[in-house]
Amino acid sequence: MTYRAWELKNLDRAALRELTAAIAEQAAEELEYNAQEGEPWSEQKYKAVLAAQQKENALLAGVLTARGVTDPTDALTLLAGEEELSDPFLLTDMQKACERIWRAIDDGETIVVFGDYDVDGVTATALLYQHLKGMGATVKCMLPSREGDGYGLSKNAIRSIHDKGCQLIVTVDNGISAVDEADYAAELGIDLIITDHHLPPDTLPKAAAVVDPRRRDDTSPFKGLCGAGVAFKLCAALDGCPPEEMLDYCGDLAAVGTVADVMPLTGENRTLVRSGLHQLQNTDRPGLEALLEEVGLTGKPVTAENVSYAIAPRINAAGRMDSAVTALQLVLCEDPDRAEELARKLNEINARRQEIELQIFNAAQELLEQEPERLEDRVMLLWGRDWHPGVIGIVASRLVERTGRPVIVVTVDEHGECKGSGRSVQGFNLHDCIGSCADLLIRYGGHAMAAGLSVREENLPALRRRLNEWAARECPVLHATPLECDLSIHLDRVTVESVRRLDQLAPYGAENPTPVFLLQNAVVDGVYPVSDGRHSRLRLRQGNASVYAVWFGMHPEQLPYTTGDVVDAALNLSVYDSPRGAQLSGRILDLHPAGLGSKLAEQAALVAALRRGTPLTAEQKALITPDRSHMITVYRELQARRWHAEDLQPLCAKLGEENTGKTLVAVTALEQVGLIAAVEKGGAKYLELVPAQGKKNLADAPVLKCLEGM
């Protein structure tokens, strides 16, 4: 269990009042304007409507204020979705790119659009290919394979393009690091236009044009475009029209690429995605229509979350498990019957991906059970033979969520060659960590939060040791990232309409997350299984009001809370249209015993560091070293009732949050000398006393010896 603190954002009350009044006034004026023909509203009626609007918009204004949007004009612009799209020609080299493409079209040259095998690469490829084709260009598209070619433009691909007589390559979502490949293309007489959004190296490739908003000399105002977003801007530039005029033609593809690539849903991206989602709702692309039908979204609202969890995984699965060409064919498909067939195939590929992902995840879990000492690693390096390389990154992500620490999952082939994919946590630079072991690796790359590597099998044990040595030096105590909550709420003041109005903040995603609310001092009134017990549904009561909230991935038997417990809940709110009418619904992100602050998470991080051999200061040791009386108190609590082994927050809360470190050390010591054990019963692990076999000396516990020896 990873214990993390919650942070409630600061709320400027004066700004909140001003913003609430401004939003309410605009809403009231719109209502008056749209009212039926007749006499204008009386002042009394206007004031009554204004008061009602202030109540219904208070939640919306509170979230905006908590996120720093306090200027009424800025807030109303944001809510209206009126952020402008900047001039495409502000992107450095955009003019050069257009001139070379125009010349290719005029001269009848064949243009090759070279993309990538992920969702952003596929949508960017389709977007630019269709637009160039519409301009009358002779155009082909090409995608690399994950296994055969690897990421990005390769010399083999350039040679193949040259052999087919093509003279111009336009990359999308890749190419910014293709320095050698650009030189090779020039040697063969092929012109290269690079459009990308990744961070450029110190030396840019030599090309006819390099369009990337993250170039140091780029003059465009928005840096958060994805590959499909840059391709969208290129299309607008080629047409010489304001980019807003392109939204109805290819905004849907730009939106899918933006959401899938987890780009910030702020500024220009918010405009792109809002428009694109609206277009998806009534798409005229047979391929996307078939995919929406396949995942059960026909006739339902298409949201950024739908794209993230239903559309994007199926497009991505093609590149992970098979060939991204299948996904590209679907997006470009104009025949409904063929589109239906391709959508079904992508769904089958995704189902196979899920099955294989679960198999590897379970294998990794078994490895941890067989070698529990790996659970004490700061960086978990796990490997297995012939694990599918297309899903090891997803497995690493799931293990990070479960363990709260960086994880690298490696697959070993029959020749002893290994490929690894890693994911990190905030505050730990995984790329730097892997880079410190460069002498053991064949190659590596990535960034702070995600990285990949290649290594020989015989170097894996040394790599595991070196990764953890670096982590011990550079990040001795790894603190879990706090969960940010926007507002503390009272259920009796939250209405269905006030929650509906939060939709004006959508689309939600990176840098514009779904609002998180803090529900304090709520009583657990009931716990119910959902989806055959895979999830839990809780009835939370606060005063005279209550809400049902689902906790996904939390089995009822694993829940360390029961009816009558008083808790604080961090949750999202939505509206559920039930047969009985509209009702509030919640989605639990985390649950704490009521009243816990940040001390529990801070001291839990110290205990975790201690268990991994991190030297602590005298002050830190004093904070978490239990005396004999506290050890006895912990033992008696474990004797008195059954506590969940994987979530000790309720036990720590009962014995005092300020004693969290001492409580966790005491539990560890009792377990190490064999006085207690974690026993699995009914799908959950509980701490139970072990019948004494001979005298046990607590002083022999390694965790206590470690505290004494520092």
Side-chain angles (χ1 to χ4, degrees):
M1 174 69 185
T2 301
Y3 303 107
R4 57 176 176 170
W6 300 350
E7 286 186 355
L8 190 61
K9 294 178 181 177
N10 292 325
L11 203 60
D12 184 331
R13 296 289 174 180
L16 174 60
R17 286 191 293 272
E18 182 181 355
L19 186 56
T20 303
I23 295 174
E25 186 173 356
Q26 184 188 61
E29 289 175 354
E30 288 177 357
L31 281 174
E32 184 178 16
Y33 179 81
N34 294 322
Q36 294 180 353
E37 293 183 8
E39 293 297 321
W41 284 356
S42 66
E43 183 178 350
Q44 183 180 6
K45 182 178 180 180
Y46 188 84
K47 286 182 177 179
V49 171
L50 187 61
Q53 289 298 323
Q54 285 181 320
K55 180 180 178 181
E56 300 297 358
N57 284 296
L59 200 62
L60 174 62
V63 173
L64 285 168
T65 307
R67 296 183 177 187
V69 184
T70 56
D71 180 87
T73 302
D74 292 343
L76 293 173
T77 299
L78 186 149
L79 295 177
E82 295 174 351
E83 293 97 332
E84 292 184 358
L85 299 178
S86 61
D87 183 349
F89 286 103
L90 292 177
L91 284 156
T92 299
D93 274 9
M94 182 63 83
Q95 183 69 40
K96 293 180 181 178
C98 289
E99 288 175 355
R100 181 62 185 90
I101 292 172
W102 289 329
R103 178 157 61 88
I105 295 173
D106 290 342
D107 294 347
E109 298 178 52
T110 298
I111 304 170
V112 176
V113 179
F114 189 91
D116 190 22
Y117 42 68
D118 67 358
V119 181
D120 189 18
V122 168
T123 53
T125 301
L127 193 159
L128 184 58
Y129 170 82
Q130 285 192 324
H131 190 77
L132 290 175
K133 194 175 179 183
M135 293 178 67
T138 303
V139 58
K140 297 180 179 180
C141 47
M142 184 174 182
L143 300 177
S145 69
R146 185 183 293 266
E147 292 309 302
D149 305 308
Y151 170 77
L153 188 63
S154 66
K155 291 183 179 179
N156 286 338
I158 294 170
R159 167 57 69 180
S160 174
I161 291 169
H162 171 268
D163 291 347
K164 293 174 182 176
C166 304
Q167 298 158 287
L168 176 62
I169 300 173
V170 183
T171 71
V172 288
D173 191 34
N174 74 94
I176 197 65
S177 298
V179 175
D180 292 341
E181 291 77 8
D183 291 342
Y184 183 65
E187 290 176 13
L188 296 180
I190 295 176
D191 282 346
L192 179 64
I193 294 173
I194 292 170
T195 74
D196 202 347
H197 70 111
H198 296 99
L199 192 65
D202 292 335
T203 302
L204 293 176
K206 295 177 182 178
V210 178
V211 181
D212 187 328
R214 299 182 72 183
R215 279 181 60 164
R216 291 177 184 172
D217 59 346
D218 183 77
T219 56
S220 62
F222 186 70
K223 306 301 179 184
L225 294 171
C226 68
V230 176
F232 171 86
K233 286 292 189 81
L234 174 58
C235 292
L238 287 168
D239 266 19
C241 67
E244 286 81 3
E245 294 183 12
M246 296 296 301
L247 289 173
D248 289 341
Y249 299 99
C250 51
D252 53 350
L253 296 181
V256 172
T258 301
V259 172
D261 226 40
V262 198
M263 303 308 293
L265 295 192
T266 58
E268 296 191 32
N269 278 346
R270 191 160 182 270
T271 300
L272 272 174
V273 174
R274 280 185 68 147
S275 176
L277 292 176
H278 179 74
Q279 190 180 350
L280 272 175
Q281 194 72 57
N282 298 289
T283 183
D284 58 0
R285 297 181 190 273
L288 293 181
E289 184 178 15
L291 191 54
L292 289 168
E293 173 73 30
E294 187 69 28
V295 300
L297 287 176
T298 300
K300 297 180 180 178
V302 179
T303 65
E305 189 174 39
N306 295 151
V307 172
S308 293
Y309 294 104
I311 302 299
R314 285 161 174 79
I315 296 176
N316 244 338
R320 290 184 182 279
M321 307 297 298
D322 188 35
S323 168
V325 172
T326 304
L328 182 61
Q329 288 174 338
L330 174 82
V331 176
L332 294 175
C333 185
E334 296 181 358
D335 175 57
D337 292 335
R338 174 62 174 158
E340 186 178 328
E341 178 186 332
L342 289 168
R344 190 179 305 114
K345 182 177 180 180
L346 281 188
N347 207 31
E348 292 169 355
I349 294 171
N350 188 59
R352 189 166 81 248
R353 186 270 303 171
Q354 291 173 319
E355 181 181 345
I356 293 173
E357 176 192 326
L358 182 60
Q359 290 173 357
I360 297 175
F361 180 79
N362 289 338
Q365 291 283 85
E366 289 176 14
L367 179 61
L368 292 174
E369 290 175 6
Q370 294 166 3
E371 302 178 38
E373 66 275 9
R374 288 178 179 268
L375 289 169
E376 302 301 333
D377 285 357
R378 292 173 173 82
V379 181
M380 293 176 61
L381 180 70
L382 306 174
W383 60 86
R385 194 159 297 280
D386 295 326
W387 288 352
H388 198 294
V391 301
I392 55 176
I394 306 175
V395 174
S397 294
R398 290 184 61 182
L399 289 168
V400 169
E401 291 176 8
R402 191 176 184 89
T403 65
R405 75 196 74 168
V407 177
I408 303 171
V409 178
V410 174
T411 178
V412 185
D413 71 13
E414 59 184 353
H415 305 295
E417 295 179 1
C418 310
K419 291 183 178 179
S421 185
R423 300 293 185 270
S424 192
V425 295
Q426 290 293 335
F428 188 92
N429 192 316
L430 186 60
H431 183 267
D432 286 356
C433 182
I434 293 174
S436 71
C437 309
D439 57 302
L440 294 174
L441 305 174
I442 299 171
R443 67 181 66 87
Y444 73 97
H447 51 83
M449 294 299 293
L453 57 84
S454 297
V455 62
R456 292 290 306 173
E457 182 178 9
E458 57 268 23
N459 287 334
L460 286 171
L463 178 61
R464 177 188 171 195
R465 174 177 53 80
R466 291 265 299 276
L467 289 170
N468 280 280
E469 287 174 351
W470 185 92
R473 289 193 309 270
E474 302 297 329
C475 198
V477 180
L478 189 60
H479 293 280
T481 305
L483 174 64
E484 284 194 331
C485 299
D486 291 284
L487 290 174
S488 177
I489 58 170
H490 298 277
L491 284 179
D492 58 359
R493 301 178 194 170
V494 178
T495 66
V496 165
E497 182 57 33
S498 67
V499 173
R500 284 196 196 277
R501 296 192 183 192
L502 295 174
D503 291 343
Q504 295 178 71
L505 297 174
Y508 296 120
E511 297 187 23
N512 184 40
T514 304
V516 179
F517 300 104
L518 176 58
L519 181 64
Q520 296 174 295
N521 296 309
V523 179
V524 178
D525 264 359
V527 179
Y528 314 96
V530 177
S531 299
D532 298 323
R534 292 195 299 274
H535 318 295
S536 297
R537 187 169 182 245
L538 279 64
R539 186 173 187 267
L540 300 174
R541 175 172 51 82
Q542 188 190 53
N544 295 322
S546 62
V547 65
Y548 285 96
V550 176
W551 197 348
F552 289 105
M554 176 61 70
H555 302 201
E557 62 271 12
Q558 293 177 333
L559 188 71
Y561 305 96
T562 187
T563 302
D565 286 348
V566 183
V567 298
D568 293 340
L571 43 71
N572 307 134
L573 291 175
S574 60
V575 176
Y576 169 59
D577 291 310
S578 73
R580 293 178 295 172
Q583 297 180 2
L584 288 181
S585 178
R587 178 178 180 176
I588 295 173
L589 304 178
D590 205 355
L591 213 61
H592 283 178
L596 282 187
S598 60
K599 290 180 181 178
L600 188 146
E602 293 168 358
Q603 293 188 23
L606 290 178
V607 176
L610 171 72
R611 289 172 61 106
R612 294 169 192 142
T614 301
L616 302 181
T617 66
E619 183 181 2
Q620 289 171 331
K621 285 194 295 180
L623 195 62
I624 66 173
T625 302
D627 57 22
R628 181 173 176 79
S629 65
H630 194 78
M631 297 282 289
I632 293 172
T633 299
V634 171
Y635 185 81
R636 286 176 177 168
E637 282 295 336
L638 298 175
Q639 189 178 42
R641 63 167 280 191
R642 195 166 66 167
W643 296 89
H644 279 257
E646 295 180 319
D647 188 348
L648 293 174
Q649 290 179 112
L651 175 63
C652 293
K654 183 172 183 180
L655 298 182
E657 183 187 5
E658 70 280 3
N659 295 319
T660 291
K662 297 174 183 178
T663 299
L664 295 177
V665 169
V667 169
T668 301
L670 290 167
E671 194 169 11
Q672 286 178 343
V673 299
L675 288 173
I676 63 172
V679 179
E680 185 168 339
K681 289 186 177 180
K685 289 184 177 181
Y686 299 92
L687 291 176
E688 293 190 356
L689 271 58
V690 176
Q693 296 180 351
K695 189 175 181 180
K696 304 289 186 180
N697 186 358
L698 275 173
D700 293 335
V703 69
L704 296 179
K705 287 182 175 294
C706 192
L707 279 169
E708 292 173 359
M710 287 182 177

